[in-house]
Amino acid sequence: MQISFWGQTLPQLQQFFAARGENPAKAALVYESIYRRGQRDFAALIWLKEPLRRALDEHFSLALPQVIARVDDGESSKFLLRLADGHAVEAVLMRRRYGIFLCLSTQVGCNMACAFCESGRQKKQRDLTAAEMLAQVLAVEEASGEKVTNLVLMGIGEPFDNYANTCDFLDIITAPEGLNLGPRHITVSTCGLPQQIRAFARRPRPTNLAISLHAPNDALRQQLMPIGRAYPLAQLLEALHEYADSTGQKLLIEYVMLQEVNDGAEQALELAQLLRGLPCTVNLIPYNETAHLQFSRSSKERTMHFYDLLKQQGMSVTLRKELGAEAKAACGQLRAEILSQPPEQS
Ligand code: SAH
């Protein structure tokens, strides 16, 4: 049975050659041809002996997921991609002044069940493989004709609930012999799993890390995010300090602004207190309202007041520009919408 080439780390591909008594250094040359020169046919690698080309062809598929829906709003394009087993995942391309960002999914559905999130309603059906994560990048590049310069793992799913595949994917996409995307051009976003955060800190060439915090205290966080019941904030903060210490990096703290839920003045002060001493930037995110959930977006006034209070406390704060609202960029929205439509008659 064929397996996807897109899931092969360089050491795994070296192993493929070594197992056939071939020089493993050929793996890097194959990586270069496929990833850097865009070759999409093993038969064209004429510098390899014919039986090796045939073996590659027999073992590895270079297939990409099919784009089954696309919504554009100028600044962003959202793609719904169909995987080999029929499941669908979303990827959103966002064009910004400082690069072309792709927001990727890491699971089909999500088990974290955050109260405000559309993906949480959809439940996890399965993990994505490293190959499926990488194939999202290539499928979107092919469909859009644009080159992705930055990645955010903020689509559907919890990357650290699919830790090994996420790490393999990161190894493949950052390999200098392959796509060579800089780890500092990648942001992994997690709802906060302390053990995985610690393990991630110990990896070579760490990426940026974003934490979905969304609440300044345990009581509220536990209402909004069930994961907060398993790991209280004290434990999460300890892991974050460790990440910052061992990588020398600043963390990104995501805080989605929910009207009259987590956006009060006292909560801003509580948040500043909680994060004191942690090298981080707080990113205030406008909530994308969804038809199925009862939360609303904080008003401009409340958001600005919250922002000002954090600033006065000496925090580094940014306001996320609203992008992709028309492209239904909120987690899981396009997928929920398309999948809830009756299938087209043909
Ligand atoms: N599971 C990971 C990554 C996926 S969610 C995580 O929790 O970080 C990406 C971000 O979008 C998270 O911060 C999530 O809380 C936020 N989010 C989910 N639904 C949203 C919505 N409707 N509007 C705005 N942000 C949302």
Side-chain angles (χ1 to χ4, degrees), residues 106-107 110-117 120 153-155 157-162 188-197 209-215 221-222 224-233 235-237 239-240 252-254:
T106 53
Q107 296 178 318
C110 183
N111 272 346
M112 300 299 119
C114 299
F116 49 84
C117 177
L153 273 58
M154 289 186 189
E158 167 50 44
F160 285 175
D161 184 37
N162 184 14
V188 176
S189 177
T190 176
C191 64
L193 302 172
Q195 275 155 310
Q196 284 84 339
I197 292 170
L209 187 64
I211 305 297
S212 298
L213 195 67
H214 306 328
R221 192 159 196 268
Q222 287 171 12
L224 296 174
M225 305 177 69
I227 195 69
R229 290 175 217 152
Y231 306 108
L233 283 169
Q235 255 186 62
L236 176 57
L237 263 295
L240 296 182
L252 188 70
I253 302 293
E254 296 166 279

Side-chain angles (χ1 to χ4, degrees), residues 12-23:
Q12 285 168 341
L13 198 59
Q14 285 165 343
Q15 189 53 41
F16 174 89
F17 282 97
R20 282 163 184 74
E22 296 287 337
N23 184 350

